[in-house]
Amino acid sequence: MKPKHQRFVLAGLALLAIFGASALALSALRDEAAFFYAPADIVGHLPDPNRSVRLGGMVKQGSVERQGDGVTIRFVVTDGKASVPVRFTGVTPDLFREGSGVVAEGHFRADGGFTADTLLAKHDERYMPPQMAGKMHKTESLKP
Amino acid sequence: MNPWPFVVGAYAIMGIGMAGIAGVSWRAMRRAERAVEALRRR
Amino acid sequence: MAPAYHNYGAWGEPARLWLESRASIDYPGCAVPILHALANPARFLKLARPLTPLCFWCGVVLALIGCWAGLTRTPPDYLQGDTVRILYIHVPAAWLGMAGWGGLAVASFAYLVWRHPLAAIAARAMAVPGALFAALCLVTGSIWGRPTWGTWWQWDGRLTSMLLLFFVYIAYIALARADADRGGDGRIPAVFGIAGTVLLPVIRYSVVWWHTLHQGQSIGLTGSTIAPSMLWPLWFTLSGFTLFFAAIVLMRMRAALGLQKAEARMRRMAAA
């Protein structure tokens, strides 16, 4: 074998080894690297109420209700398999909508509900003009 | 929230970054090629 | 006579002499004649000289058309409104940040296998523009995130892995510089360049493997979830920025070749 070919094979093997090692490391990281819990992830084993965690999913259609004080809202986060009721006091992001994605930072309560300190709107991968969106699915703004 | 300051800001930063690297790379190239030319003439 | 060219492991005097000797050498027993013809610096320069302004101006014109259309000719998004216009620069920046590392890795691999000095020069020329576009991707994404998500930065899988790629670029630049200063042959940065490729699939699939704040892939091989009336300027900016990137790489390669040639000539004149 010419040295050129030897180097080719060696470099290729090294590359494969690096990729294999990283694949192993990444699969071990799988649960740790999640940015948030989906409601189905925590059915039956709620995270410790004292721990600050994130909960993500869709805001269930028709679930948002504003409390009497005007700044507290309640809504349900769902991923289609399970759902969690959430309570939040504060200013919601502009893109917070029913039927749209949301990530809530806060902690679980003993009763299985979630108290959020911060809300982040999660955008999905669809981009379209308003006329088209109106035809495809209805989105309702929380704001009057 | 008015989105335009964000949009304009993002485009401005992009433009500055690209103009910057174009200027730096162009000057480096010119300087190196001029040096070769000058040495060749000597 | 065996082509001595194959023994140029060292990034030293023999390589310099070879660069000096320029055209009109043919390498007997070359397996890939076209690649080797391109790899000849004189022929490379002959091609690169007209190609540099061509790539640059075509890239600038296409990018400007894309930006103008993206800012004025497309409808706002049904949820994000006008903030969506940042997409037309954010996506090309992300593409070039990642494609830049892909090119750097391919050149590094070619250098390690064929030991060709021009491949090492190409790899080094891609590092700085690649790092710049990775940074621009992070900054434009952050500016988009504030009105959309309601936050400038979160440590989610996509954002963190892209930031990591930026740091890997910085490490490569530092490593390549240190190697050149020490008079190394460029093998260590080349190995690093290949190893860094691991990050590319991680960035690409981070939104699939993990729950992330960043949305999923919009444009795949099978189509796109962006409405056609909003998508078309993206093709202009993508192609325009890519040509711009190519022009920058050509400029930096020409600068490196010129510097090397000038050094070799000075050395010869000092010896004479």
Side-chain angles (χ1 to χ4, degrees):
Chain A
M1 210 156 45
K2 278 203 265 181
K4 187 167 63 175
H5 296 142
Q6 226 161 12
R7 287 198 298 265
F8 190 91
V9 171
L10 262 174
L13 282 178
L15 196 63
L16 269 179
I18 292 167
F19 269 84
S22 334
L24 279 176
L26 283 172
S27 67
L29 206 71
R30 214 181 156 90
D31 296 328
E32 301 302 316
F35 184 65
F36 56 79
Y37 291 111
D41 296 343
I42 40 103
V43 171
H45 46 97
L46 281 186
D48 181 359
N50 297 317
R51 231 179 87 207
S52 187
V53 293
R54 295 193 194 89
L55 172 75
M58 286 291 188
V59 181
K60 199 172 170 188
Q61 284 288 0
S63 73
V64 179
E65 44 182 280
R66 211 161 266 279
Q67 301 303 110
D69 62 1
V71 286
T72 302
I73 56 165
R74 287 167 181 281
F75 57 94
V76 174
V77 167
T78 176
D79 60 359
K81 286 170 243 158
S83 49
V84 176
V86 178
R87 192 172 68 204
F88 171 71
T89 306
V91 184
T92 55
D94 285 3
L95 264 70
F96 180 79
R97 301 272 202 292
E98 291 189 346
S100 197
V102 72
V103 176
E105 293 180 306
H107 56 90
F108 281 93
R109 298 186 303 266
D111 63 3
F114 190 85
T115 303
D117 308 316
T118 321
L119 285 188
L120 300 173
K122 179 167 161 39
H123 191 261
D124 67 13
E125 65 274 17
R126 291 168 304 173
Y127 298 77
M128 58 190 125
Q131 314 85 277
M132 221 169 128
K135 272 180 243 149
M136 282 172 74
H137 63 106
K138 284 208 167 63
T139 50
E140 285 168 56
S141 173
L142 271 175
K143 292 185 179 96
Chain B
M1 209 184 300
N2 178 13
W4 284 104
F6 292 93
V7 175
V8 171
Y11 275 78
I13 289 170
M14 195 83 183
I16 291 167
M18 288 172 67
I21 198 162
V24 168
S25 307
W26 174 256
R27 273 206 4 225
M29 182 190 85
R30 281 291 293 275
R31 193 175 299 164
E33 293 193 340
R34 280 215 179 125
V36 174
E37 205 53 42
L39 282 167
R40 184 174 293 157
R41 274 207 209 103
R42 251 203 299 178
Chain C
M1 195 184 84
Y5 148 72
H6 287 300
N7 304 327
Y8 287 166
W11 189 214
E13 205 49 33
R16 263 198 205 97
L17 285 172
W18 175 80
L19 282 165
E20 272 286 275
S21 61
R22 306 173 63 227
S24 72
I25 302 174
D26 48 346
Y27 308 108
C30 274
V32 199
I34 299 164
L35 200 75
H36 282 213
L38 244 180
N40 179 313
R43 271 178 230 169
F44 166 79
L45 281 175
K46 220 173 179 178
L47 205 71
R49 273 196 200 105
L51 219 54
T52 312
L54 190 73
C55 282
F56 184 81
W57 291 114
C58 286
V60 167
V61 167
L62 282 170
L64 282 177
I65 292 174
C67 288
W68 167 77
L71 284 172
T72 61
R73 297 287 98 187
T74 55
D77 184 64
Y78 75 113
L79 267 183
Q80 304 167 49
D82 287 312
T83 317
V84 73
R85 303 186 190 286
I86 293 173
L87 167 104
Y88 303 114
I89 51 173
H90 175 70
V91 173
W95 147 248
L96 287 172
M98 291 170 72
W101 193 274
L104 191 154
V106 169
S108 296
F109 187 82
Y111 175 63
L112 280 184
V113 174
W114 291 283
R115 293 290 156 79
H116 202 292
L118 206 58
I121 288 176
R124 288 196 59 175
M126 281 184 260
V128 172
L132 175 81
F133 277 105
L136 286 172
C137 166
L138 290 164
V139 170
T140 53
S142 174
I143 294 173
W144 177 85
R146 182 63 192 79
T148 313
W149 295 331
T151 179
W152 295 104
W153 182 263
Q154 289 292 324
W155 294 99
D156 92 330
R158 173 57 74 76
L159 277 60
T160 309
S161 54
M162 195 67 198
L163 183 67
L164 220 58
L165 177 67
F166 174 70
F167 288 145
V168 165
Y169 267 119
I170 301 300
Y172 175 88
I173 293 166
L175 194 64
R177 192 162 296 172
D179 184 76
D181 286 347
R182 262 193 29 232
D185 62 359
R187 247 182 287 181
I188 297 162
V191 169
F192 186 80
I194 291 172
T197 324
V198 168
L199 265 177
L200 299 183
V202 175
I203 296 171
R204 171 69 172 77
Y205 292 104
S206 55
V207 291
V208 181
W209 291 340
W210 306 309
H211 295 312
T212 53
L213 182 60
H214 195 285
Q215 60 271 27
Q217 203 73 21
S218 289
I219 305 164
L221 289 174
T222 50
S224 130
T225 52
I226 302 177
S229 63
M230 295 171 72
L231 182 64
W232 65 271
L234 188 59
W235 302 125
F236 281 87
T237 51
L238 267 174
S239 54
F241 283 54
T242 306
L243 283 172
F244 175 89
F245 186 90
I248 298 295
V249 172
L250 284 173
M251 285 181 202
R252 300 185 80 88
M253 286 181 74
R254 282 169 64 181
L257 278 172
L259 218 63
Q260 227 161 40
K261 216 184 283 182
E263 249 171 45
R265 213 162 273 240
M266 284 228 289
R267 193 163 305 192
R268 244 188 5 202
M269 273 156 63

